[in-house]
Amino acid sequence: MKQGQAQVIRLEEYQVPFYEAETIHLNVDLNDESTIVTSTVKYHRHPQQPDATTLALHGESQELLSVKIDGVLLDENSYELDETHLSLRDLPQAFELEVQSRIYPQKNTSLEGLYQSSGNYCTQCEAEGFRKITYFLDRPDVMSIFTTRMTADKATNPVLLSNGNCIEKGDLDNGRHFAVWHDPFIKPAYLFALVAGNLSCVSDEYTTMSGRKVALEIYTEAHNVSRCDHAMQSLKRAMKWDEERFGLEYDLDIYMIVAVDDFNMGAMENKGLNVFNSKLVFASPDTATDVDYINIEAVIGHEYFHNWTGNRVTCRDWFQLSLKEGLTVFRDQEFTADLHSRPVKRIEDVRMLRTHQFAEDASPMAHPIRPASFIEINNFYTVTVYEKGAEVVRLYHTLLGREGFRKGMDLYFERHDGQAVTTEDFLAAMADANEADLSQMQTWYDQAGTPEVAVTMDYDAANKRCTLNFVQSCPATPESDDKAPFLIPFKLSLLNPQGKTIVLKTDDNDIAADTQRVVKITEQQQSVTFVDVAEKPLPSLLCDFSAPVKYHFDYSTEDYIFLMQHDSDDFNRWEASQRLAQQLMLQMLEDRKAGRAIGVSPEVVNAYQQVLDNQDLDHALRAEALSLPGESDIAGEVAEADPEAIHEVREFFIRTLANGMRLSLDACYDSLNQDEEYAIDAASMGRRRLKNVCLSYLASIDDEMIHQQCFAQFENANNMTDRLAALSALADIDCPERTKALEVFETQWKDNPLVMDKWFMIQAGSSLPNTLEQVKALQSHPSFDANNPNKIRSLIGRFAMANPVNFHRADGEGYTFLTDFVIDLDTRNPQVASRLVRALAKWRQLEPVRAQLMKACLERIHQTNGISNDVFEIVDKSLS
Ligand code: B3K
Ligand code: ZN
């Protein structure tokens, strides 16, 4: 049904709205069967639309009860109503519109608009969920003052929350009560939120830099209050950090966070009333891993930082999504880097960008960080808009320096506070504040694809000159084949044969002389020459990953080993370990295909062992260097990928390293496997990380003693990080300890849904051959819930997105399973279905037999009657 209807929305067709909404009063009457929403809005004609007399309000999934203009009831002939709009005509310059409608939150399985989670009411309005609550101009450039009155049964819904401040509350007849909330800041409808239910509150307080007291409140179901401390402390750290780093202070008297179990994504930055997926709020050492702790802090920070980058200054339209998301991700990355280990954070972010965003850029879903068109905006909350968007923001920071960047941010807020703006406005603020010409930055917003830079080096020994030549290109992507050159800040250094970085000078008077240099590549081809280079150096390229590009340089194995040992840039030392592993595994794949024997040289084993043994390097960085590129990273580098071959080669490489480093692995594991009190600081997390990397290497060796060692760690651990690491090592081994550990875990945690997510995830990610059958069986487990996004992501998502060897089973059963699941889920929750179906999108990168099987599944979905716009868009783009 949708195929014919799917409408493409284009950036170039943007028009200012005909009318603006000054104020909106919502009256929400929550009842067991249904909810009656009355919205009263003061509209006036937009100054740039002097001739407008019509207004098409967005609205869907509701029963319209009445429409009044300036108090006069309209009859059905005076407006038009269809599935998505309420259209009014013959309108005056200004008027008050009252619309009443009925909605059914209890039946809302899409988790968009007003819905229920564990019996409590909550909302999700971004991007276009408000239109499922009432008829309104649901677009981000329409900003209004919101006042919300809620009425509900007091016994079942003692807590009634909305944005801003509570200005009135009281009891009503029949056991009901009411509350009125008023938000003094103008905002678009996507930032509206309402929560009602039986929730407990954890409260605290923060005093801002100007001395104002802000009440901090986290709302959860009663049994989780003891797990909110980390979230609360994280919030306070975020508030302080934003004051110190960006001079930004919180603006309301209260900041609330509500944790819910059913949520389509991570969290939502509604003004003064964030709604969070409970997995990003609750933490205790026995239930949350180190990664969970860090993620909670980062996401609490991210949503808090949106108060300025997103809420105070918002997006003109949804094409500008990266304006708020890329910038806010950049801010949360910096928050984590400032509070913990900067190099480790950078490594993790780059790993994530490469694995997921580079893959997206190479897929049929490739889009610029500011897309030019979409069918369903929910499909564009992507790693490109978020993570590549953050990298583009980081480019300004690299080009302008910390102070220049801050000047740009200050000007951006000075100019645009209270406005809905575009990425051009951000670029202009950065440029104007620094009197810099940044016009070429626009290319990053308009062109998709991962730029590639081919680097060569010429060394002129006679004149001691070293020239680096750069040639940039960018593969064709759906929006264009012919790309203009990007502005690429390419940070580099040169290592002399003793492994020391040399001072870089382009001529004798070079005042910028330093051991690292940011070369601004602006042309398709460009060179830079350094003088006084006494001996032929080895370049260390793209230090700190200074731009989201791929580069090629003809490094040998020995070069990488040299860089692993000597590079003074933490990031690039890690990078060398990754590129070496990648290069070797790609070679092994070719050897295997050609029927040649595969092997790993003692020099290579030794290089990784030296990293492991290097006491001068902190534990986390050693762990990162030993964590090799994943199977999907390798798949992204080959044509006609064969997931089975990739899996075998990678396992072989790890096993060979493990056997070769056995003594060091044992020694390192033993030295780190000490009884220590659990703490969430960078040093303790680093120790656990390295210990568990050692354990996972050891587990690749088929040895009964090691199975017992894993089980011992599983049993004795005093925290979830160690326990889960042991369980996940066992998950890939067919041994009695595996079965026992899974049983013990299930018995202990069957009543904790967030911990059970981990139990599902571990099994869905197993490389053992019967995993698909296990996943199917687990769908009937009492803890599984096919309507809960966390459960779906843990079991089905993990299997389809992060278990290549089993998802890509040669018989195609993995694809069939996912396809059936997606078609069924789409009828209830299109957003989550549309995330899952992306697993099929990269069919063209697979070897022909699997590619055809995947394509057939996509075609089956494409032909299914009634699929949502969400799923249709992904499937259609994947096939075209
Ligand atoms: N802004 C929300 C994401 C909304 C997703 C809507 N499909 C969370 C965030 O990025 O902070
Ligand atoms: Zn965000």
Side-chain angles (χ1 to χ4, degrees):
M1 145 200 141
K2 291 278 178 168
Q3 285 91 324
Q5 292 178 3
Q7 197 202 339
V8 180
I9 322 278
R10 290 175 214 285
L11 169 60
E12 64 191 17
E13 289 166 8
Y14 173 82
Q15 276 197 346
V16 297
F18 285 5
Y19 282 81
E20 293 180 303
E22 283 158 53
T23 56
I24 169 164
H25 282 77
L26 281 172
N27 201 323
V28 183
D29 191 17
L30 301 157
N31 289 286
D32 287 347
E33 289 295 302
S34 66
T35 289
I36 306 288
V37 180
T38 313
S39 66
T40 309
V41 182
K42 280 193 167 52
Y43 286 103
H44 63 245
R45 202 171 277 148
H46 196 291
Q48 289 170 37
Q49 299 282 13
D51 301 327
T53 55
T54 60
L55 181 56
L57 299 172
H58 304 106
E60 51 192 63
S61 314
Q62 56 195 292
E63 291 166 21
L64 180 63
L65 301 177
S66 66
V67 186
K68 287 182 192 166
I69 289 186
D70 292 326
V72 180
L73 190 67
L74 299 195
D75 69 43
E76 283 174 18
N77 302 320
S78 343
Y79 57 81
E80 271 157 51
L81 185 66
D82 64 23
E83 295 257 290
T84 53
H85 290 89
L86 166 64
S87 304
L88 306 169
R89 54 182 183 264
D90 304 326
L91 296 168
Q93 192 275 334
F95 62 96
E96 187 182 270
L97 178 73
E98 186 196 290
V99 181
Q100 190 169 75
S101 49
R102 184 193 301 276
I103 53 177
Y104 296 88
Q106 289 82 345
K107 295 186 192 158
N108 181 353
T109 56
S110 69
L111 312 188
E112 195 186 45
L114 178 64
Y115 66 94
Q116 282 196 322
S117 175
S118 315
N120 298 313
Y121 293 93
C122 65
T123 51
Q124 172 54 36
C125 291
E126 188 177 0
E128 299 179 333
F130 192 74
R131 62 189 62 185
K132 291 184 164 182
I133 297 175
T134 186
Y135 287 94
F136 188 65
L137 273 183
D138 184 10
R139 40 186 285 172
D141 57 352
V142 172
M143 300 170 83
S144 323
I145 296 287
F146 279 69
T147 307
T148 305
R149 181 188 154 98
M150 283 161 274
T151 49
D153 179 67
K154 191 172 180 176
T156 46
N157 299 288
V159 172
L160 302 174
L161 310 173
S162 190
N163 319 89
N165 304 307
C166 183
I167 52 171
E168 209 190 329
K169 60 182 172 184
D171 290 337
L172 301 165
D173 294 343
N174 305 324
R176 293 178 68 80
H177 70 149
F178 76 97
V180 183
W181 288 77
H182 176 77
D183 182 356
F185 291 92
I186 54 166
K187 66 166 176 287
Y190 85 84
L191 289 172
F192 168 78
L194 172 163
V195 169
N198 189 0
L199 297 161
S200 298
C201 175
V202 177
S203 34
D204 205 328
E205 193 177 73
Y206 180 80
T207 306
T208 69
M209 59 184 180
S210 69
R212 274 190 318 103
K213 283 200 186 336
V214 179
L216 309 179
E217 298 181 344
I218 300 181
Y219 289 86
T220 83
E221 288 175 77
H223 57 272
N224 283 315
V225 289
S226 64
R227 299 203 162 104
C228 296
D229 187 56
H230 175 67
M232 185 63 90
Q233 299 312 321
S234 299
L235 175 60
K236 290 199 272 183
R237 287 192 286 271
M239 296 177 88
K240 186 155 188 294
W241 180 85
D242 216 12
E243 292 178 348
E244 288 171 355
R245 178 83 187 260
F246 286 104
L248 298 171
E249 194 176 352
Y250 187 60
D251 51 11
L252 284 165
D253 299 333
I254 181 167
Y255 192 92
M256 296 172 282
I257 292 175
V258 181
V260 302
D261 287 339
D262 302 278
F263 206 61
N264 280 346
M265 61 273 170
M268 178 62 211
E269 70 264 24
N270 316 301
K271 182 80 186 186
L273 178 57
N274 289 184
V275 178
F276 266 66
N277 187 323
S278 54
K279 86 183 192 128
L280 288 162
V281 177
F282 305 144
S284 56
D286 58 335
T287 59
T289 62
D290 294 349
V291 172
D292 294 329
Y293 271 89
I294 293 292
N295 283 347
I296 289 170
E297 184 184 68
V299 178
I300 295 259
H302 179 98
E303 306 311 332
Y304 174 74
F305 303 142
H306 267 314
N307 191 52
W308 278 95
T309 50
N311 301 5
R312 293 284 290 248
V313 183
T314 195
C315 300
R316 188 193 70 173
D317 53 71
W318 290 120
F319 298 101
Q320 320 297 328
L321 184 57
S322 200
L323 173 78
K324 74 175 177 82
E325 294 305 347
L327 178 53
T328 306
V329 171
F330 170 79
R331 276 152 55 66
D332 85 53
Q333 290 176 346
E334 286 297 293
F335 171 55
T336 304
D338 281 346
L339 263 58
H340 303 279
S341 160
R342 182 164 284 273
V344 169
K345 175 63 178 158
R346 190 68 189 132
I347 287 167
E348 280 164 2
D349 290 339
V350 172
R351 211 191 265 285
M352 139 88 168
L353 184 86
R354 281 203 188 118
T355 302
H356 301 289
Q357 198 281 322
F358 281 17
E360 183 163 84
D361 248 347
S363 79
M365 270 302 290
H367 52 276
I369 63 168
R370 185 177 63 179
S373 68
F374 58 75
I375 293 176
E376 172 51 63
I377 184 56
N378 282 324
N379 283 332
F380 285 82
Y381 287 75
T382 57
V383 276
T384 298
V385 165
Y386 276 64
E387 271 71 27
K388 186 176 181 181
E391 291 301 322
V392 172
V393 172
R394 191 172 291 280
L395 295 179
Y396 294 101
H397 196 273
T398 304
L399 291 164
L400 304 169
R402 188 184 274 228
E403 276 178 28
F405 185 82
R406 172 67 194 269
K407 278 200 252 168
M409 290 290 281
D410 290 351
L411 185 61
Y412 175 65
F413 295 124
E414 194 184 311
R415 283 182 178 171
H416 301 300
D417 187 12
Q419 297 176 8
V421 303
T422 63
T423 58
E424 279 88 351
D425 294 314
F426 183 77
L427 195 163
M430 284 288 154
D432 296 350
N434 291 279
E435 293 175 27
D437 177 5
L438 295 174
S439 47
Q440 203 183 351
M441 281 295 292
Q442 187 57 36
T443 320
W444 286 104
Y445 293 94
D446 297 334
Q447 296 184 158
T450 306
E452 296 182 18
V453 184
V455 188
T456 52
M457 187 178 83
D458 299 317
Y459 180 63
D460 171 358
N463 295 303
K464 298 194 167 53
R465 290 161 73 86
C466 178
T467 301
L468 289 164
N469 310 301
F470 306 92
V471 178
Q472 65 160 300
S473 60
C474 183
T477 45
E479 94 296 347
S480 118
D481 300 350
D482 185 24
K483 313 270 171 131
F486 293 86
L487 166 54
I488 301 173
F490 199 98
K491 201 190 278 187
L492 55 85
S493 59
L494 297 179
L495 272 65
N496 69 16
Q498 293 73 49
K500 296 272 170 285
T501 47
I502 63 173
V503 174
L504 300 174
K505 290 190 290 181
T506 47
D507 61 54
D508 291 340
N509 307 319
D510 189 346
I511 45 156
D514 199 350
T515 53
Q516 265 190 353
R517 167 80 53 131
V518 178
V519 177
K520 273 182 222 158
I521 305 177
T522 54
E523 308 294 323
Q524 199 251 326
Q525 287 198 32
Q526 204 170 316
S527 296
V528 60
T529 298
F530 297 109
V531 299
D532 286 344
V533 182
E535 291 165 282
K536 184 177 177 191
L538 187 66
S540 170
L541 299 170
L542 203 69
C543 303
D544 206 30
F545 194 71
S546 61
V549 303
K550 292 184 181 177
Y551 76 84
H552 307 273
F553 183 83
D554 197 11
Y555 285 120
S556 64
T557 297
E558 291 66 39
D559 293 338
Y560 282 132
I561 293 177
F562 186 84
L563 291 170
M564 278 169 76
Q565 287 167 345
H566 297 290
D567 203 320
S568 57
D569 186 76
D570 282 333
F571 180 87
N572 266 14
R573 220 174 26 241
W574 166 78
E575 176 74 352
S577 71
Q578 303 296 298
R579 291 176 78 103
L580 174 60
Q582 176 111 322
Q583 179 165 300
L584 294 169
M585 288 190 276
L586 291 174
Q587 183 59 50
M588 284 189 245
L589 272 178
E590 276 186 30
D591 290 343
R592 185 183 175 279
K593 205 169 172 183
R596 292 188 291 266
I598 57 172
V600 183
S601 74
E603 291 73 29
V604 168
V605 176
N606 187 42
Y608 287 95
Q609 168 145 353
Q610 279 196 23
V611 174
L612 177 59
D613 292 342
N614 185 348
Q615 307 288 335
D616 296 333
L617 205 59
D618 77 42
H619 295 103
L621 286 173
R622 281 190 260 165
E624 290 292 356
L626 291 163
S627 305
L628 306 181
E631 291 169 27
S632 63
D633 298 309
I634 303 165
E637 295 298 314
V638 294
E640 304 200 344
D642 173 353
E644 233 171 271
I646 293 173
H647 179 71
E648 266 178 36
V649 157
R650 189 171 179 276
E651 295 290 290
F652 170 82
F653 188 45
I654 289 176
R655 206 167 41 246
T656 310
L657 289 181
N659 281 311
M661 307 191 297
R662 177 75 194 258
L663 292 178
S664 289
L665 288 168
D666 283 334
C668 183
Y669 180 86
D670 292 341
S671 75
L672 295 171
N673 192 32
Q674 307 291 343
D675 267 347
E676 58 174 290
E677 210 180 312
Y678 184 76
I680 308 288
D681 51 65
S684 314
M685 288 189 289
R687 283 195 292 277
R688 280 190 288 276
R689 182 79 203 281
L690 184 57
K691 174 178 75 181
N692 290 321
V693 166
C694 289
L695 188 69
S696 80
Y697 269 96
L698 289 168
S700 71
I701 303 170
D702 193 10
D703 178 339
E704 174 55 31
M705 294 276 287
I706 295 171
H707 306 165
Q708 285 165 16
Q709 183 180 347
C710 291
F711 192 79
Q713 173 168 323
F714 171 80
E715 260 197 321
N716 301 330
N718 69 353
N719 64 81
M720 183 54 94
T721 305
D722 288 342
R723 183 163 263 240
L724 205 65
L727 187 62
S728 91
L730 285 171
D732 286 342
I733 309 170
D734 190 6
C735 63
E737 288 80 1
R738 177 191 203 268
T739 317
K740 205 159 126 201
L742 283 168
E743 274 171 19
V744 171
F745 195 97
E746 181 192 4
T747 309
Q748 187 179 359
W749 295 113
K750 61 182 185 312
D751 297 325
N752 184 319
L754 291 178
V755 181
M756 285 306 279
D757 287 344
K758 300 184 193 302
W759 185 79
F760 284 115
M761 203 183 276
I762 291 262
Q763 295 178 79
S766 167
S767 61
L768 294 182
N770 67 338
T771 296
L772 174 59
E773 288 67 28
Q774 285 293 318
V775 168
K776 287 183 181 169
L778 284 168
Q779 289 183 99
S780 318
H781 190 279
S783 296
F784 187 75
D785 173 358
N787 285 323
N788 174 262
N790 287 356
K791 291 283 170 296
I792 297 170
R793 282 185 283 258
S794 300
L795 188 64
I796 319 297
R798 175 60 175 252
F799 175 76
M801 308 287 205
N803 190 346
V805 70
N806 276 310
F807 175 60
H808 296 286
R809 265 166 62 146
D811 62 5
E813 284 299 312
Y815 309 144
T816 306
F817 167 70
L818 181 73
T819 302
D820 294 340
F821 192 89
V822 164
I823 292 173
D824 177 49
L825 177 63
D826 189 45
T827 61
R828 305 188 302 276
N829 189 330
Q831 267 188 57
V832 176
S834 154
R835 291 271 150 183
L836 289 179
V837 81
R838 285 166 201 252
L840 293 166
K842 48 184 169 188
W843 63 276
R844 282 192 182 83
Q845 292 167 22
L846 275 288
E847 54 80 20
V849 175
R850 286 177 173 88
Q852 283 314 310
L853 291 166
M854 291 171 89
K855 185 172 177 231
C857 283
L858 285 167
E859 282 163 348
R860 174 149 74 92
I861 303 172
H862 204 250
Q863 284 152 16
T864 302
N865 273 335
I867 57 163
S868 63
N869 277 343
D870 306 60
V871 168
F872 172 76
E873 181 171 31
I874 304 289
V875 170
D876 194 58
K877 286 185 173 158
S878 304
L879 286 170
S880 62

